[in-house]
Amino acid sequence: MLGILVGLKAEARLIRPYSPGSPIAISGATAEGARQGVERLLAAGATALLSFGCAAGLAPDLRPGALIIPQWVLVDGMPAKTEGALSRRFGVGHTGVLHGGLLHSDGLIATAAEKERLHARTGCLAVDMESGVVARAGLPFAVLRVVCDDSRRDLPPAACDVLEGGGISPLKLAASLLRKPGQIPALMALGRDAGAAHKAMAAFLARQPA
């Protein structure tokens, strides 16, 4: 049985129609949430795992909407190889899908400068907060991710402090905007990137065989 780990509720809604019998756990985009999510999937009887959702681009040529099914995940300084058959199930080898490495991070990568540094050090295409936890579980696993914020984008403060329970807290968002109203244009730009990523992933999933 496949268990799926995502960061946010919106990602869970996106993948659920394409794997209706699979348990899905939401990390809430925190390291502890990811660990607890994998524990819940294992307790539910998962025998293979999928890390699904958005990622931050590290490679400078990637733009929002770029799809990645990596061959390996770099976690704790070591590459963990994804499972070939499971990766093929989710579209590896299809036109436009990128391969290579994905970096795991326990925290959000918020600045373009940090993304540039990580790409130079690791060569990874993108980074997320769930795939390394999935890799550590020791089960066959695959990763399907779409780039949301690319390597050139600094995250506005609200993107880093408004998440709650796997979604956006309206109260936290309002408080962040009151403190720093100058971030509104950057937040709107990030919203457009997120929309492009969601649209690209939805179109990709719709093309996959049932």
Side-chain angles (χ1 to χ4, degrees):
M1 181 174 66
L2 180 69
I4 303 173
L5 182 66
V6 303
L8 303 174
K9 292 177 181 178
E11 296 166 344
R13 290 192 295 268
L14 189 57
I15 189 63
R16 185 169 279 116
Y18 299 94
S19 196
S22 298
I24 299 175
I26 300 169
S27 76
T30 69
E32 182 58 29
R35 287 189 285 270
Q36 291 179 3
V38 167
E39 289 176 1
R40 291 195 299 273
L41 295 174
L42 297 179
T47 55
L49 297 171
L50 174 70
S51 170
F52 175 84
C54 289
L58 298 181
D61 57 335
L62 299 189
R63 295 294 174 261
L67 291 154
I68 304 171
I69 302 179
Q71 295 167 303
W72 46 272
V73 174
L74 188 64
V75 54
D76 301 327
M78 297 293 292
K81 193 175 185 304
T82 54
E83 207 276 324
L86 191 57
S87 295
R88 287 191 293 274
R89 170 180 168 183
F90 286 98
V92 74
H94 287 215
T95 301
V97 177
L98 301 170
H99 310 302
L102 184 82
L103 177 64
H104 172 80
S105 173
D106 282 337
L108 284 172
I109 306 303
T111 69
E114 180 69 357
K115 294 173 188 177
E116 181 181 11
R117 186 186 70 80
L118 289 173
H119 182 253
R121 180 168 64 84
T122 69
C124 289
L125 298 171
V127 57
D128 73 17
M129 296 178 61
E130 288 80 34
S131 295
V133 183
V134 164
R136 291 186 192 118
L139 296 179
F141 78 98
V143 177
L144 174 54
R145 292 278 163 167
V146 62
V147 171
C148 179
D149 54 303
D150 63 29
S151 63
R152 303 170 300 173
R153 185 170 299 289
D154 292 328
L155 294 181
C160 304
D161 58 18
V162 302
L163 295 179
E164 184 174 78
I168 295 174
S169 164
L171 291 178
K172 288 184 176 181
L173 177 59
S176 182
L177 293 177
L178 283 172
R179 287 193 303 270
K180 295 184 178 179
Q183 68 180 303
I184 291 175
L187 196 60
M188 292 176 65
L190 180 62
R192 289 192 294 270
D193 288 352
H198 187 282
K199 183 177 180 180
M201 180 64 85
F204 178 74
L205 289 172
R207 295 194 298 269
Q208 303 313 305

